[in-house]
Amino acid sequence: MFKGKEYIYEVYKEKSFSKAAQNLYISQPALSASIKKIENRLGCCIFDRSSNPVQLTEAGTEYVKSIEKIMDIENRFENYLSNLNQLKTGRLSIGANNVFASFILPAIITRFTNKYPSIKVNLVEANSTHLEEQLFSGALDFVIDNYPLNEQTYEKHLFCRESLILAVPQEFASNSLAQEYQLTIDDIRQGTHLNPATKPVPLSLFTHDPFIFLRAGNDTRMRTDKIFQEHGITPKIILELDQLATAYNVSCYGMAITIISDTLAQKASDPSNMLYYKIDSTHTFRNVYFYNKQNKYITKAMEEFIKIAQHTDSKH
């Protein structure tokens, strides 16, 4: 119905077919013919050609009002697209578990919002299963996780590599048997546990000690189970929790030993009563990725967020 509206509007503005034709860089007969086609399609006249200058008919007046509304919508959408491409508007939804939401994402989000203050960032904290459901549904743009997602469904962007370490309350007597393997929080923050020359502790030294594990289904739990199976040890599990940070906090109160990521140890507040040990197992190493759904339209905001994230050192 509004195809060719720019011809109608130009004649309306100029009140002249000849001037409108000049502005549109077409001949006057061609313009007249185009407008006549539009009028035939509508079944009414837009212009009263008997008047000089050319005037709108009653139907023409309503048509022009409608054109102006359409043009206003088009202009607003063009401005929106321009702002979107220049990151002057938009939103970003990111999902993470407790550790990443508390200790990793705040620095990245702060850098991003400082650079692009008009982008609204939404952070959702949940477990891996719930996060994947929201990522699949499109409710989330990104999920950061150390749990491997299906690469046929999700595209991944490497953020960092992390390692699992043993965290033991200082008052545990077994520490006295493991003195040559002990590491401090400063050692972990400096990456001493990643040095090939650093000796891994024999887990058998802690056979009789109580442990805090994460519940089944968690990546850390699956890796921890494999580590103890490798060493032929059945740990004495006295508590199972959902969150790595919670397990670490409880361990810091002296209840039990736990296995945590070096990412958490390096970012959490400094517990003065904990000792750390390198673990001998390939299952201690894992990658942390930002995931987005395959074939999802990648906005400029998403591109910029990943760039900033990958230039933010998670270990410092």
Side-chain angles (χ1 to χ4, degrees):
M1 183 173 287
F2 294 100
K3 184 180 179 182
K5 65 182 182 298
E6 63 277 9
Y7 295 156
I8 301 287
Y9 201 71
E10 198 63 34
V11 173
Y12 157 71
K13 281 196 309 178
E14 295 295 342
K15 294 184 169 47
S16 164
F17 277 81
S18 58
K19 288 182 181 177
Q22 288 175 4
N23 294 345
L24 293 166
Y25 300 101
I26 60 174
S27 67
Q28 183 175 333
L31 176 60
S32 296
S34 295
I35 290 177
K36 194 65 181 172
K37 282 182 182 178
I38 295 170
E39 290 176 323
N40 290 338
R41 190 168 69 238
L42 294 173
C44 61
C45 289
I46 298 296
F47 294 105
D48 179 0
R49 294 165 175 77
S50 65
S51 61
N52 190 12
V54 174
Q55 299 291 325
L56 290 169
T57 63
E58 184 178 345
T61 300
E62 290 303 312
Y63 189 84
V64 166
K65 284 181 183 178
S66 297
I67 287 175
E68 288 178 332
K69 287 177 183 177
I70 291 170
M71 291 168 64
D72 182 54
I73 291 169
E74 288 176 340
N75 288 336
R76 278 191 280 125
F77 187 64
E78 283 179 12
N79 289 335
Y80 166 77
L81 288 180
S82 175
N83 288 337
L84 198 64
N85 289 329
Q86 295 176 45
L87 296 176
K88 292 180 180 178
T89 189
R91 58 184 64 242
L92 199 60
S93 292
I94 304 153
N97 64 27
N98 176 264
V99 170
F100 295 123
S102 300
F103 301 107
I104 299 301
L105 285 176
I108 300 170
I109 291 173
T110 298
R111 287 186 62 189
F112 181 82
T113 53
N114 283 344
K115 189 172 182 181
Y116 304 110
S118 299
I119 304 294
K120 184 180 179 182
V121 179
N122 179 39
L123 176 58
V124 175
E125 184 180 330
N127 61 38
S128 294
T129 302
H130 185 60
L131 291 173
E132 184 179 356
E133 288 173 358
Q134 293 202 63
L135 186 63
F136 185 82
S137 72
L140 292 174
D141 295 307
F142 287 120
V143 163
I144 180 173
D145 211 334
N146 49 36
Y147 185 84
L149 299 184
N150 188 329
E151 292 182 29
Q152 292 184 330
T153 307
Y154 303 101
E155 182 181 3
K156 63 184 183 182
H157 312 268
L158 180 64
F159 174 62
C160 72
R161 186 167 170 80
E162 65 179 7
S163 176
L164 298 180
I165 55 176
L166 198 69
V168 184
Q170 207 167 49
E171 59 266 32
F172 275 40
S174 47
N175 286 310
S176 62
L177 303 173
Q179 288 184 7
E180 64 177 302
Y181 308 102
Q182 287 174 9
L183 299 170
T184 66
I185 190 65
D186 286 336
D187 290 327
I188 301 301
R189 288 174 177 167
Q190 291 166 18
T192 304
H193 60 297
L194 301 174
N195 189 329
T198 302
K199 293 181 182 179
V201 70
L203 290 178
S204 57
L205 297 178
F206 305 98
T207 302
H208 302 294
D209 290 321
F211 278 84
I212 298 170
F213 274 26
L214 296 190
R215 289 195 173 93
N218 185 287
D219 184 73
T220 300
R221 174 59 184 268
M222 289 188 285
R223 290 173 181 273
T224 301
D225 285 343
K226 289 175 183 176
I227 289 167
F228 278 92
Q229 286 166 13
E230 275 182 346
H231 290 80
I233 297 171
T234 302
K236 182 184 174 184
I237 304 169
I238 64 166
L239 186 63
E240 292 182 316
L241 297 170
D242 290 313
Q243 298 290 347
L244 198 63
T246 308
Y248 185 41
N249 286 335
V250 174
S251 182
C252 288
Y253 277 96
M255 178 185 284
I257 299 170
T258 194
I259 286 182
I260 63 169
S261 65
D262 55 359
T263 302
L264 174 58
Q266 290 160 338
K267 288 293 185 178
S269 57
D270 188 357
S272 58
N273 66 321
M274 297 297 286
L275 292 170
Y276 305 90
Y277 298 91
K278 179 179 180 177
I279 301 169
D280 182 20
S281 174
T282 56
H283 297 296
T284 60
F285 295 102
R286 63 188 176 192
N287 291 327
V288 178
Y289 295 102
F290 278 96
Y291 291 96
N292 61 270
K293 194 174 179 184
Q294 289 275 19
N295 302 320
K296 177 183 172 69
Y297 172 67
I298 305 298
T299 65
K300 188 78 179 293
M302 289 173 69
E303 287 180 0
E304 288 302 307
F305 185 85
I306 285 295
K307 284 180 187 175
I308 288 172
Q310 292 178 332
H311 285 87
T312 300
D313 187 349
S314 70
K315 306 299 184 185
H316 298 97

